[in-house]
Amino acid sequence: MARKARATIRDRAPVGRYAAFAYGAALNYMVGQADFHGRLGDTTLVYWAEGAEPAYGSAFMAMMGMGGEEKNEITQKELNGVLTALCQGRTVNWANVPLNPKNRFYILGLAPNASRLSVRFFLRDSFGAFVEHYQKHQERLNIVRPAFDERETLSMWALLRETVNPNSRDKSAQPQLVGELLRAVLTDSLYPSAMFTQTEIRLRAEKDITRGKAAIIKAFLLRNVVEQQKEQIHVYKEVLDVELNEQSTYLPYRLGRLFAVLEAVQQRANPNINTTIKDRYFNSACATPALVFPTLLRLAQSHLGKIGGGAEVYYDKMITELLGDVTQSYPARLSLQDQGIFQLGYYHQKQKLFTKKEEKDNG
């Protein structure tokens, strides 16, 4: 019986002793070498090129923002030049080694599973294809950033941190989300829904739309909604841009912009206020505008009266212009996707207001 059981196991998994030893030794070697592996959350990435040149792994690690000596020695502008050349099918030098974009590249995602390892994914493609997929991802993330934010790109670490409670003791992202996001980025497939929903959960709790959260909303809606509408131009396309679109009349976007202006009016009228309309009304304004905006506009009239002078005229004109193209009543409820558009409108308008304030202060 035991002999028969062993034969059945061999039939199901026909791996010889030498093959098992060889792939085990290769895996142990790559996990011990900096240019062949990296970690993101609980996922260990093991990667190698067809000819096993370490330069490919070093370049991949720099692209993913996972550290490494080359990453510290090269500027973001120089790295972008290398990646652009690879996307164009050109061979470039990295660490004095020519990187061929047509060379086969392999990425293995491993995660702990009790006392064993679990394979999250195993990806195979040309090195240039992986670079192209990552560059498309970064293009979708591109959004106007605050003056204090000096990051030129948003790494995978930065995105995953936006989905986690900053006050929790364990700041690790959901393990399943890490693997799904990596696969989506590296294969240019749809982003996991959890990335969007977790970002929305954090937004409701924190009431603070950071550059990272705004970038996630923009990238998710571009890839999972707009790019899926191949035969027609989706209404979201006009507002999923890097900067403010003042011509868009899409109502959720307009309402997000309006909320940002109303918040600025309140802060101008009461500079030392402890609780703003964002603290009290942001979530409900985003989800159920019809219940909140009439109250907010009545408050704004009171705040404008306190400001007076040229500032009152400036803000009143801005509010009038934002409401001027609104020909429909406030929506009773916005879908989760439209709430994301509202938040993007708010973020874009806030950045525009800050830019104007900085120009005035420096003028």
Side-chain angles (χ1 to χ4, degrees), residues 71-338:
K71 174 63 175 175
N72 296 328
E73 296 173 0
I74 191 171
T75 66
Q76 186 64 46
K77 183 178 180 180
E78 291 170 332
L79 177 60
N80 289 340
V82 170
L83 300 180
T84 299
L86 289 168
C87 289
Q88 294 171 348
R90 292 187 282 133
T91 297
V92 294
N93 284 330
W94 182 274
N96 297 319
V97 175
L99 301 182
N100 183 353
K102 295 181 180 179
N103 199 13
R104 299 293 292 178
F105 195 71
Y106 305 86
I107 306 172
L108 176 65
L110 300 173
N113 183 11
S115 59
R116 301 182 181 182
L117 288 177
S118 172
V119 176
R120 284 238 166 101
F121 52 79
F122 179 49
L123 308 177
R124 294 165 288 181
D125 210 330
S126 69
F127 188 70
F130 284 123
V131 173
E132 186 176 352
H133 295 161
Y134 189 80
Q135 289 294 81
K136 287 182 179 179
H137 164 68
Q138 284 296 336
E139 288 173 7
R140 297 188 197 103
L141 290 174
N142 190 19
I143 196 166
V144 60
R145 64 180 193 252
F148 61 81
D149 192 339
E150 298 180 353
R151 297 171 297 174
E152 295 187 44
T153 60
L154 293 169
S155 67
M156 302 291 285
W157 277 111
L159 296 182
L160 290 168
R161 278 198 298 267
E162 297 289 355
T163 68
V164 178
N165 183 353
N167 298 319
S168 64
R169 295 183 63 182
D170 182 8
K171 293 180 173 57
S172 302
Q174 294 179 354
Q176 185 174 355
L177 174 58
V178 176
E180 290 177 351
L181 180 57
L182 280 167
R183 179 192 290 271
V185 170
L186 293 171
T187 61
D188 195 31
S189 54
L190 298 181
Y191 291 116
S193 298
M195 182 179 79
F196 183 70
T197 55
Q198 284 297 118
T199 301
E200 287 294 322
I201 290 172
R202 295 314 318 152
L203 266 171
R204 290 191 183 92
E206 299 166 23
K207 302 180 184 66
D208 181 27
I209 179 163
T210 61
R211 171 197 173 190
K213 290 182 175 62
I216 288 173
I217 293 170
K218 174 177 175 279
F220 181 88
L221 294 178
L222 273 174
R223 182 67 186 94
N224 290 40
V225 180
V226 174
E227 292 181 14
Q228 295 301 98
Q229 302 287 329
K230 298 180 180 179
E231 298 180 358
Q232 61 184 24
I233 299 177
H234 198 280
V235 67
Y236 286 174
K237 186 174 178 60
E238 66 182 36
V239 297
L240 297 177
D241 210 342
V242 177
E243 296 182 332
L244 176 68
N245 183 345
E246 295 180 331
Q247 281 68 51
S248 175
T249 59
Y250 190 57
L251 190 54
Y253 188 74
R254 274 291 176 101
L255 293 177
R257 292 183 58 196
L258 177 60
F259 193 95
V261 173
L262 297 179
E263 180 187 18
V265 169
Q266 184 192 42
Q267 290 176 333
R268 182 65 180 267
N270 305 285
N272 297 319
I273 192 170
N274 293 323
T275 303
T276 67
I277 60 171
K278 184 176 74 170
D279 299 318
R280 296 184 59 185
Y281 296 108
F282 186 79
N283 288 342
S284 51
C286 184
T288 55
L291 295 178
V292 178
F293 271 94
T295 300
L296 293 177
L297 289 170
R298 286 195 298 270
L299 288 172
Q301 292 305 311
S302 173
H303 296 148
L304 286 170
K306 290 183 180 180
I307 296 174
E312 178 185 1
V313 175
Y314 169 76
Y315 284 115
D316 187 58
K317 181 181 178 182
M318 192 178 298
I319 293 170
T320 302
E321 289 176 351
L322 283 170
L323 292 173
D325 294 328
V326 176
T327 58
Q328 60 193 98
S329 58
Y330 299 119
R333 184 172 295 276
L334 294 181
S335 68
L336 190 60
Q337 291 181 0
D338 275 342

Side-chain angles (χ1 to χ4, degrees), residues 19-79:
F21 168 79
Y23 73 66
L27 179 60
N28 287 333
Y29 173 80
M30 288 187 287
V31 170
Q33 300 296 315
D35 287 332
F36 292 101
H37 84 283
R39 285 183 61 85
L40 191 66
D42 73 332
T43 301
T44 297
L45 292 177
V46 182
Y47 33 81
W48 66 96
E50 188 74 36
E53 299 94 337
Y56 283 90
S58 173
F60 175 77
M61 186 163 49
M63 177 184 77
M64 298 289 287
M66 297 169 67
E69 294 180 2
E70 286 293 334
K71 174 63 175 175
N72 296 328
E73 296 173 0
I74 191 171
T75 66
Q76 186 64 46
K77 183 178 180 180
E78 291 170 332
L79 177 60

